[in-house]
Amino acid sequence: MKKAAAPSFLVAVFLCTLAAASAAQPTGKIFRIGFLDNSTASSMVVRLETFRQELSKFGWIEGKNITIEYRFAEQKNERLPELAADLVRLKVDLIVVSGGDRRR
């Protein structure tokens, strides 16, 4: 049950942020999302697809009105600050940080 709630919560936070940002942005702007996770890209395929599907339910479609900059630390926590700084340098509109149950 918790896993299903996480993508919905992220979408809600994202939409609130975009709603506030869109009031100050010209129409037609393509919003940029930074996605940061400690795992690998291959291990996140299903979650990322679910994230994109949930966004599309609200009209946010990657490649159409949003772009997503993906950063993965490859299970190396020491890389997270560097990757987060990279997203900040890119001036993304929102940074989504994935977290949750990580078995070691």
Side-chain angles (χ1 to χ4, degrees), residues 17-94:
T17 303
L18 283 184
S22 67
Q25 300 297 331
T27 57
K29 174 179 170 51
I30 296 178
F31 290 94
R32 297 175 70 200
I33 301 170
F35 185 90
L36 179 61
D37 188 80
N38 183 44
S39 66
T40 63
S42 61
S43 70
M44 290 295 291
V45 170
V46 173
R47 283 188 178 185
L48 289 173
E49 183 56 31
T50 301
F51 181 63
R52 287 189 291 270
Q53 286 174 0
E54 291 297 315
L55 289 173
S56 72
K57 290 178 183 179
F58 294 98
W60 298 103
I61 300 168
E62 187 175 14
K64 182 178 178 185
N65 52 11
I66 60 170
T67 60
I68 304 175
E69 297 286 340
Y70 301 94
R71 299 294 183 272
F72 298 95
E74 308 288 328
Q75 302 295 336
K76 297 175 183 165
N77 286 337
E78 65 275 8
R79 292 194 63 217
L80 289 170
E82 166 196 342
L83 295 172
D86 184 40
L87 292 172
V88 170
R89 276 190 298 275
L90 290 173
K91 297 184 180 182
V92 296
D93 297 296
L94 174 71

